[in-house]
Amino acid sequence: METPLTGPAPRESGALTPDARGADPAGLRGSHELARIVLRPLASPLPLGFLALFVGTMLVSAQQLHWVPVAETHHLALGVLVLTVPLQLIACIYGFLCRDVIASTGLGVLAGTWATIGVTLLTSVPGLNSPGLGILLVVAAGALLVPSVAALSSKIVAAAVLAMAAIRFAITGGYELTGSPGWQVAAGVAGVVLAGLALYGALAAELDSALGRSVLPLVRPPRGRRAVSGQLADQLQEIAHEPGVRRQL
């Protein structure tokens, strides 16, 4: 189903006639009346992305905290590659389609980082740290701070999840660079904390979408509340300047 966001067809909306265009050679007067923007209703990808994050971080924490034998590391890596990475890629793509640059950017960086972690765990000797992976994790943590800071203006819970993911990757990178058992335990604990935040964010967003009202607080600033509960006119105020509508990114 497609949802038109503008008024009636051009002929009905008082589009410029040939005689009127004679007085307006550039054809610019009333050009907003000739435009029609059509959007497809899409579900929020955040619950899927956060649940995939919950699974991925718990699998790696299980390995870091020695909840499972070292020999099971390859099986945990397969879980990350088969479940977490594809689901976060799907959520990333639909984040772009929903015109949510924060969700799409954050989930895209997460998907790439988890893919690297999964491949490294699958191909390396179980129990050995990888300085190369450590450098990548530290850099990925810095990259995640970009959507995390941007999310503060509209999605506090999402900002907290992305910030905690950055902390989790940075600590894990510290372990991979140093091989210190203390860093390893800290990374595992940070992963469990991240799992709790991701699970809360997924449940809150899922209930919000399913029931049409907030059951668990998502802590939205004024801009975020206006986007969810505002009038249609509020949504259209800046649509002409958004990517996909304006002529240049």
Side-chain angles (χ1 to χ4, degrees):
M1 182 179 70
E2 296 184 348
T3 305
L5 291 186
T6 61
R11 182 176 298 278
E12 299 172 356
S13 62
L16 294 178
T17 64
D19 293 339
R21 290 192 185 95
D24 182 26
L28 297 178
R29 187 177 61 190
S31 59
H32 62 284
E33 297 178 351
L34 302 176
R36 171 170 291 179
I37 300 170
V38 178
L39 301 176
R40 297 180 182 274
L42 296 170
S44 171
L46 283 178
L48 178 64
F50 285 169
L51 287 176
L53 175 61
F54 166 76
V55 174
T57 189
M58 283 302 297
L59 290 178
V60 176
S61 287
Q63 183 260 344
Q64 292 170 329
L65 296 175
H66 305 294
W67 291 348
V68 295
V70 176
E72 294 293 317
T73 299
H74 289 169
H75 296 111
L76 298 177
L78 283 174
V80 171
L81 291 173
V82 174
L83 193 150
T84 298
V85 175
L87 293 185
Q88 287 196 328
L89 280 176
I90 292 172
C92 168
I93 293 170
Y94 275 89
F96 281 113
L97 293 176
C98 290
R99 302 176 301 135
D100 191 328
V101 67
I102 295 172
S104 54
T105 303
L107 292 171
V109 173
L110 285 171
T113 306
W114 287 117
T116 306
I117 293 173
V119 171
T120 302
L121 292 176
L122 187 64
T123 57
S124 62
V125 178
L128 292 182
N129 56 306
S130 169
L133 176 62
I135 293 174
L136 181 136
L137 290 174
V138 172
V139 173
L144 276 176
L145 292 178
V146 174
S148 175
V149 172
L152 291 174
S153 64
S154 57
K155 307 177 185 69
I156 299 298
V157 170
V161 172
L162 293 175
M164 191 63 218
I167 294 172
R168 194 260 198 275
F169 287 152
I171 297 175
T172 305
Y175 161 67
E176 296 293 343
L177 288 169
T178 63
S180 168
W183 280 98
Q184 185 180 29
V185 173
V189 172
V192 174
V193 174
L194 172 60
L197 276 176
L199 190 62
Y200 175 86
L203 180 59
E206 189 87 4
L207 291 174
D208 188 78
S209 297
L211 302 178
R213 58 186 177 86
S214 294
V215 178
L216 298 176
L218 283 168
V219 197
R220 290 190 176 102
R223 182 180 180 185
R225 291 197 299 270
R226 187 167 61 250
V228 173
S229 59
Q231 301 299 316
L232 181 60
D234 297 328
Q235 310 296 322
L236 298 177
Q237 283 182 350
E238 301 177 357
I239 194 170
H241 305 290
E242 294 186 5
V245 178
R246 66 189 188 216
R247 297 191 65 175
Q248 297 186 15
L249 296 179

